[in-house]
Amino acid sequence: MQRRHFILSMLSAGLAGPLRSITGQAKPVTIRSGQPLRALPKLLNQSKAPGVFEASLTAAPARLAVGAGQQTEFWAYNGIIPGPLIEATAGDRVRILFENRIPGQVSTIHWHGMPVPAAEDGNPMNPVASGSRHVYEFVLPADSAGSYWYHPHPHRLSAEQVYRGLAGAFIVNPKTDPLPRDIHHITAFITDLRLSATGAIPVDDMVDLMNGREGDHLLVNGQRNPVLTVAPGSTCRFRLFNATNARYLRLAFEDHEMTLIGTDGGYVETPVLGLREILLAPAERADVIVTFRPGAGRTVALQTLPYERGWMGGGKPPSQTLSLLTVRLAGAPIEAAALPTKLRKIEELGTPGAIKRLEFDEPTKVGGGMAMQFLINGKTFQMGRVDLTTKAGQVELWEVVNRTDMDHPFHLHGTQFQVTERERNGSKTMAPYLAWKDTVNIATAETVRFKVRQDMKGLRMYHCHILEHEDQGMMGLLDVT
Ligand code: C2O
Ligand code: CU
Ligand code: CU
């Protein structure tokens, strides 16, 4: 099957309703909430050598009790969801032995956002067969500290492997950290999960294939609305990860402003103060500081607010505010920590030597009805076909145009880029600060421009990070020569 067409008229005729109720929305499973937030278990470094991180990750079915009184079969890295937290230091050599024990499916591990050689990046061209092993090896460059993540990237199977539980955080720490030690560090790895009435994970339905799958249960570190207890006045650093297949997170802390200190590719130059909310499209990360004012109330919720991302056909989830995490203020008030004014130096990418234009295309008319195809520059992904080429070391300006009726998060492998401006309905907005990004949301009818330079040769993917769209071909190959 080369292309899959999804008939909008079928969806609007109500097919989505009955399909969805079979998958369990009618009788939702309950997941216990209000448990203390757990820290992500760390992947143990098995190497004794300094500057070497060595470990193994096995992807395999795992039965875990998530729903009240029920067991769910996930696919998990080392038996846990999310996968173990990998924490290494810039400059380290990383060696990870991957074993694929997913029955009947190839897999890979992709190091999302990390500057690793193309051959080590878990591309769909390098599948690891079910029942076999592969060693990924790379050196983390000196200035590569940031909040990354890892997930499978096999051809047409990424969405399923991720919604069944395969994803984890990969934090690269700087050799010397500009942040003071009295800041409380929290890693919040956000996923969403759909469970049928029997506690099983159902496959994607038509609505999911069209819009990307949104699970019914929002989870932070695998828990539903857990509780984090801190002293009033505490300064907390939250590394926030959107590891959902397709859900937009418009994040806000009740009555508290956030200070942005980092994006996908690590620290910004200077803290960005006074943010009421942050939009995290699928695959994006944000590193924020919040100081919980004494007397601000006994609890402060981290919420996700409604966001209109454009929806095709029926089955649209209700637009609502949901609580992700509850911060409980308890104990004697403490002094807020002071933030440095300078976090790092970001070299601005220079004058572009070339311009590339990428277009996310509109649905096309096929036969009698409307059909949805997920295209970039009029094409669906084809293994082995190079779509774009660039020279290693050359700065380019990319403009990504979204001509569809929904938002798509654009992601590029192999490097980090610098967004320069956004354009919508003829009005341009300059990027408010310099930051390293590997994923950027392109809203409907919007054009986003960014500067980018690839430093390593090889084949790199670029794609929409709504994983169902990626699997259906909203992806291309860039050859860096
Ligand atoms: Cu997070 Cu190509 O992927
Ligand atoms: Cu990636
Ligand atoms: Cu998309």
Side-chain angles (χ1 to χ4, degrees), residues 191-431:
T191 57
D192 60 5
L193 176 67
R194 186 180 308 149
L195 294 176
S196 72
T198 58
I201 299 177
V203 296
D204 271 348
D205 61 26
M206 295 279 275
V207 178
D208 299 323
L209 293 171
M210 187 76 80
N211 296 286
R213 176 187 182 105
E214 292 196 15
D216 309 312
H217 306 282
L218 260 174
L219 304 177
V220 175
N221 298 355
Q223 297 173 289
R224 209 188 113 217
N225 198 10
V227 175
L228 168 72
T229 303
V230 297
S234 294
T235 301
C236 297
R237 172 210 202 153
F238 293 90
R239 289 187 191 255
L240 303 163
F241 293 74
N242 185 344
T244 67
N245 277 34
R247 185 186 286 264
Y248 280 65
L249 300 170
R250 204 180 130 210
L251 300 172
F253 283 89
E254 283 179 313
D255 300 325
H256 284 74
E257 289 181 340
M258 292 173 273
T259 298
L260 181 81
I261 58 165
T263 54
D264 304 337
Y267 287 131
V268 288
E269 287 199 299
T270 48
V272 182
L273 306 172
L275 299 176
R276 302 294 311 177
E277 57 178 74
I278 288 177
L279 180 68
L280 274 194
E284 283 188 302
R285 289 86 68 206
D287 197 343
V288 302
I289 299 275
V290 181
T291 295
F292 294 99
R293 288 191 312 275
R298 281 174 41 241
T299 61
V300 178
L302 166 60
Q303 298 175 324
T304 178
L305 310 172
Y307 178 76
E308 285 303 325
R309 65 179 178 98
W311 194 267
M312 297 280 171
K316 186 173 184 286
S319 169
Q320 55 189 344
T321 296
L322 296 167
S323 180
L324 280 162
L325 170 78
T326 302
V327 181
R328 196 171 70 91
L329 305 180
I334 60 168
E335 282 280 307
L339 278 186
T341 50
K342 177 109 186 178
L343 295 162
R344 92 190 285 187
K345 173 90 194 109
I346 296 182
E347 219 62 66
E348 197 173 338
L349 291 174
T351 313
I355 297 179
K356 284 190 168 52
R357 184 179 167 90
L358 285 85
E359 284 185 19
F360 288 153
D361 286 335
E362 293 199 313
T364 44
K365 285 251 187 224
V366 173
M370 279 283 273
M372 184 73 186
Q373 289 177 294
F374 300 99
L375 308 173
I376 301 180
N377 290 347
K379 297 179 284 188
T380 50
F381 176 70
Q382 204 170 42
M383 195 81 96
R385 183 194 65 211
V386 169
D387 300 288
L388 297 171
T389 57
T390 188
K391 285 210 163 38
Q394 182 180 62
V395 177
E396 296 189 340
L397 179 77
W398 284 37
E399 47 181 24
V400 187
V401 184
N402 182 355
R403 287 152 27 100
T404 76
D405 294 325
M406 65 197 300
D407 290 20
H408 300 277
F410 179 83
H411 170 53
L412 171 65
H413 289 197
T415 191
Q416 296 279 326
F417 51 77
Q418 294 175 352
V419 174
T420 56
E421 72 179 9
R422 295 174 169 273
E423 181 174 348
R424 207 174 183 179
N425 304 322
S427 78
K428 292 182 180 176
T429 318
M430 297 262 292

Side-chain angles (χ1 to χ4, degrees), residues 374 407-409 464-466 469 474:
F374 300 99
D407 290 20
H408 300 277
C464 171
H465 219 290
I466 288 179
H469 293 175
M474 202 172 218

Side-chain angles (χ1 to χ4, degrees), residues 112-183:
H112 182 116
M114 301 177 65
V116 313
E120 305 298 320
D121 207 14
N123 284 326
M125 299 81 83
N126 310 111
V128 179
S130 174
S132 65
R133 297 169 169 209
H134 178 78
V135 177
Y136 292 99
E137 185 167 352
F138 45 87
V139 174
L140 300 168
D143 195 30
S144 63
S147 305
Y148 307 101
W149 60 301
Y150 61 95
H151 63 77
H153 216 304
H155 188 45
R156 292 208 166 126
L157 299 168
S158 300
E160 178 180 9
Q161 293 187 10
V162 173
Y163 74 63
R164 292 200 184 281
L166 294 170
F170 195 136
I171 293 177
V172 178
N173 289 309
K175 275 225 164 86
T176 49
D177 202 321
L179 281 195
R181 292 215 166 263
D182 51 345
I183 290 180

